[in-house]
Every structure is written in C-alpha cells, then in structure tokens.
Amino acid sequence: MPVSPDDATLMDVQQGGRCFFCGEPVGAKATFDHLIPLAYGGIDEPSNVVLAHRRCNQRKGDRLPDAGELDRFFAARRGSRLGVWPPLRALRAAEEGQEWIAVARAISQEK
C-alpha cells in the first residue's frame, strides 16, 4: 500500500517536521525516501519510507541507511501504526560487509 496523505502527516509529526537526513525543517516540499531503495527490492509502503528534502533524498541515492539512521528510524516508529519493514531489521542485524546479502535474503522471505 503506497504512502497515503494520512501516513505522510503522521511521518511529519513523528519526524518533528524535519528532514530525516539533515534534521532541518522540511516543509511542504518533502519527498519520500525509501530506506531500502525500490531499485533493490524496497517497497513503496510507509514501513520503508521517511520524509526528506529533495536534495537530501538525491544525495542519499541508492545507498542503504547506516546504523545510526536505522536506529533513529526504529526509535521514531516504536509503537507507530506505520511500522518497520522486516528487511530493515535484518539490515541492522547484518554483519559489516554483509548488508546487501542480509537485505536480499530478508526481501526474498517477504514474498
């Protein structure tokens, strides 16, 4: 299920109206960043999406989120109806250098 306007509003509240990556106010021009990029099997659902400035979203590109970003995401989503997509948890638990393998395995188990 793609991100609904209600989901976007809840994300905005959870993120304190700030860009997930730089922490500056994001305003009405927020974009959706897929933590696990669509190009690599990520899903277009709230459990894999954060609000970000367009420039921050472009700067992140197709990289996976780092441990600090994941920790912030998990903390913001604790108890939220938006949830956390299980492959993000697998990514956080992955050994260094094995991140893409862990993500690919977790995505394949989701299908």
Side-chain angles (χ1 to χ4, degrees):
M1 166 178 67
V3 179
S4 72
D6 287 343
D7 296 334
T9 299
L10 183 53
M11 276 183 229
D12 188 47
V13 169
Q14 288 178 341
Q15 291 179 214
R18 299 190 172 277
C19 173
F20 182 78
F21 296 104
C22 74
E24 294 296 318
V26 73
K29 294 186 178 182
T31 64
F32 296 126
D33 180 80
H34 299 85
L35 292 177
I36 295 179
L38 296 174
Y40 297 108
I43 59 173
D44 189 24
E45 293 187 14
S47 59
N48 184 46
V49 172
V50 294
L51 297 178
H53 291 117
R54 179 171 310 283
R55 71 180 179 274
C56 293
N57 192 337
Q58 290 171 338
R59 194 174 302 138
K60 176 187 170 263
D62 284 342
R63 75 167 173 80
L64 291 174
D66 64 32
E69 291 166 343
L70 288 170
D71 290 345
R72 281 197 338 268
F73 181 74
F74 296 155
R77 296 295 174 93
R78 192 169 287 123
S80 170
R81 71 169 175 80
L82 296 176
V84 173
W85 191 39
L88 289 164
R89 294 192 189 283
L91 173 60
R92 184 63 181 99
E95 294 180 33
E96 190 171 335
Q98 300 296 309
E99 293 91 348
W100 284 109
I101 294 169
V103 167
R105 284 185 182 143
I107 291 172
S108 69
Q109 291 172 0
E110 288 284 306
K111 297 182 181 192

